[in-house]
Amino acid sequence: MDRLKSFTIIEVLGAIFVLSAGVLIAYTVVQNALVYTFTSANRVAAGYLAQEGIEAVRGIRDSNWVQNNTWRTGIGSDGDYQLQLQFSPPGYSFSPCSSPCSYSNLNFVNYSTGSASKFKRKITLTTAGANALRVTVNVMWQEASGMQTATIQSYLYDWK
């Protein structure tokens, strides 16, 4: 009879070990899935913010054409800039970055709520010919794994 009790205790300990290992594996999988989900969400948001930067510069160029101004009026010369959406008056605030334009001295991207997001955006303008402008937008944010960056680049032309 003592042998059966000992064997039953060993079985119970083995079952507890298997269940514990299963729960630990499931917890690790769920935790990793959550981390990847948040990381992916941040990358998507950064991509949209970078695209918004390109579209804002394009919008300034297009407004210049409508108002019969030169195409680079209000866009500025080559260099680094910051961009904020403003609601009153509606439009964008497009201003030069303080030098050097790095993550530490960029403004956080924020909108009507007034609360700062985790993202910072830098727009770099480079003349790419007599009638061309290279626009590079870097969106940066801090995660537990370190500094992350999303970059989009486009060329704008004075084709009108």
Side-chain angles (χ1 to χ4, degrees):
M1 191 75 164
D2 287 334
R3 290 183 68 152
L4 289 176
K5 286 184 182 178
S6 298
F7 186 69
T8 304
I9 291 174
I10 291 173
E11 284 181 332
V12 169
L13 288 175
I16 290 172
F17 174 76
V18 169
L19 286 174
S20 298
V23 169
L24 183 62
I25 290 171
Y27 173 76
T28 303
V29 168
V30 169
Q31 184 179 12
N32 286 338
L34 288 173
V35 168
Y36 293 138
T37 299
F38 288 121
T39 301
S40 296
N42 286 337
R43 288 198 172 282
V44 168
Y48 284 134
L49 289 170
Q51 186 62 39
E52 179 187 44
I54 299 280
E55 294 300 327
V57 177
R58 183 177 286 125
I60 294 169
R61 178 203 60 186
D62 294 350
S63 293
N64 286 332
W65 286 338
V66 170
Q67 297 169 5
N68 290 322
N69 293 330
T70 60
W71 70 288
R72 283 194 65 166
T73 300
I75 293 176
S77 58
D78 292 1
D80 295 329
Y81 292 84
Q82 296 187 83
L83 174 77
Q84 288 291 346
L85 179 65
Q86 57 192 27
F87 289 93
S88 177
Y92 290 98
S93 168
F94 193 67
S95 58
C97 255
S98 56
S99 184
C101 193
S102 62
Y103 182 81
S104 61
N105 62 5
L106 282 168
N107 294 330
F108 286 100
V109 176
N110 60 23
Y111 291 106
S112 62
T113 62
S115 59
S117 70
K118 66 171 64 177
F119 301 98
K120 293 186 176 188
R121 175 174 46 202
K122 176 176 74 169
I123 299 173
T124 303
L125 304 177
T126 309
T127 301
N131 295 319
L133 178 67
R134 182 176 68 206
V135 181
T136 306
V137 181
N138 290 307
V139 177
M140 298 157 273
W141 70 100
Q142 186 72 38
E143 286 187 355
S145 60
M147 183 65 66
Q148 303 295 317
T149 304
T151 303
I152 293 180
Q153 181 175 308
S154 182
Y155 286 85
L156 298 180
Y157 298 95
D158 182 21
W159 51 266
K160 183 176 179 191

